[in-house]
Amino acid sequence: MVKTSGCVLILSRNFVQYACFGLFGIIALQTIAYISLMTISISGGLLLLLAESRSEGKSMFAGVPSMGESSPKQYMQLGGRVLLVLMFMTLLHFDSSFFSILQNIVGTALIILVAIGFKTKLAALTLVVWLMAINVYFNAFWTIPAYKPMHDFLKYDFFQTTSVIGGLLLVVALGPGGVSMDEKKKEW
């Protein structure tokens, strides 16, 4: 009930801050119950959404960026970026196959770029494409009959990964924020 009402409030753009805090509470309860790193990374997407809604509420023109960014928004965007890339740590495989080594190298490089905010939009968009391909390949729940337990596990992972893709798309849309190398490059 709280999840559905929170999502409806966010989509209708009413009480976005309260809806985000309600969804944060659900995520905290899930983290305690399931002890999942992916659940923590979803909170990164919510943090980015909360940062976007806070700045939108204070500006005269909703959705139009302002010149003077508030400090809490910058740190929320940084926290959101870091929490979102945590999910990629679960994708690292320590096998000696060529594909695993390639996946580890590309994933780690993109994780670092998004976390420090260097070429953030391009790195996040590349992570979206990379994650979508990995998600379809590894979490193909539709290939397993519905009565098998693995179907439910893969379905859960598939949709949780899809929500992280949504968070990364927020990074692509909103940018890295003030605490990033991209922002510091503008000052030089």
Side-chain angles (χ1 to χ4, degrees), residues 66-77:
S66 61
M67 292 301 288
E69 297 274 337
S70 65
S71 183
K73 178 187 175 188
Q74 295 174 359
Y75 291 113
M76 282 196 285
Q77 285 180 309

Side-chain angles (χ1 to χ4, degrees), residues 18-30:
Y18 298 116
C20 284
F21 288 129
L23 290 174
F24 273 129
I26 294 295
I27 289 171
L29 289 174
Q30 284 181 342

Side-chain angles (χ1 to χ4, degrees), residues 108-178:
T108 303
L110 292 172
I111 287 169
I112 292 169
L113 289 176
V114 170
I116 64 174
F118 182 72
K119 302 284 185 187
T120 311
K121 288 186 175 189
L122 178 62
L125 188 60
T126 307
L127 278 173
V128 165
V129 173
W130 184 261
L131 186 55
M132 283 174 50
I134 287 174
N135 197 24
V136 169
Y137 181 74
F138 287 116
N139 297 323
F141 67 92
W142 52 88
T143 62
I144 296 178
Y147 63 86
K148 292 189 176 186
M150 185 55 83
H151 176 84
D152 292 333
F153 290 124
L154 291 177
K155 189 175 182 180
Y156 176 79
D157 284 346
F158 181 84
F159 286 110
Q160 193 148 3
T161 304
T162 303
S163 65
V164 174
I165 290 171
L168 286 168
L169 287 173
L170 273 171
V171 172
V172 172
L174 300 175

Side-chain angles (χ1 to χ4, degrees), residues 1-10 14-30 39 42-43 46-47 49-50:
M1 179 72 176
V2 175
K3 284 184 187 179
T4 305
S5 21
C7 293
V8 168
L9 287 173
I10 288 172
N14 293 318
F15 305 106
V16 174
Q17 291 181 2
Y18 298 116
C20 284
F21 288 129
L23 290 174
F24 273 129
I26 294 295
I27 289 171
L29 289 174
Q30 284 181 342
T39 307
I42 291 174
S43 63
L46 278 175
L47 202 57
L49 181 65
L50 184 63

Side-chain angles (χ1 to χ4, degrees), residues 91-95 99-109 130:
L91 296 177
L92 296 177
H93 300 286
F94 297 106
D95 299 333
F99 182 72
S100 291
I101 293 171
L102 178 67
Q103 180 181 345
N104 288 343
I105 291 171
V106 171
T108 303
W130 184 261

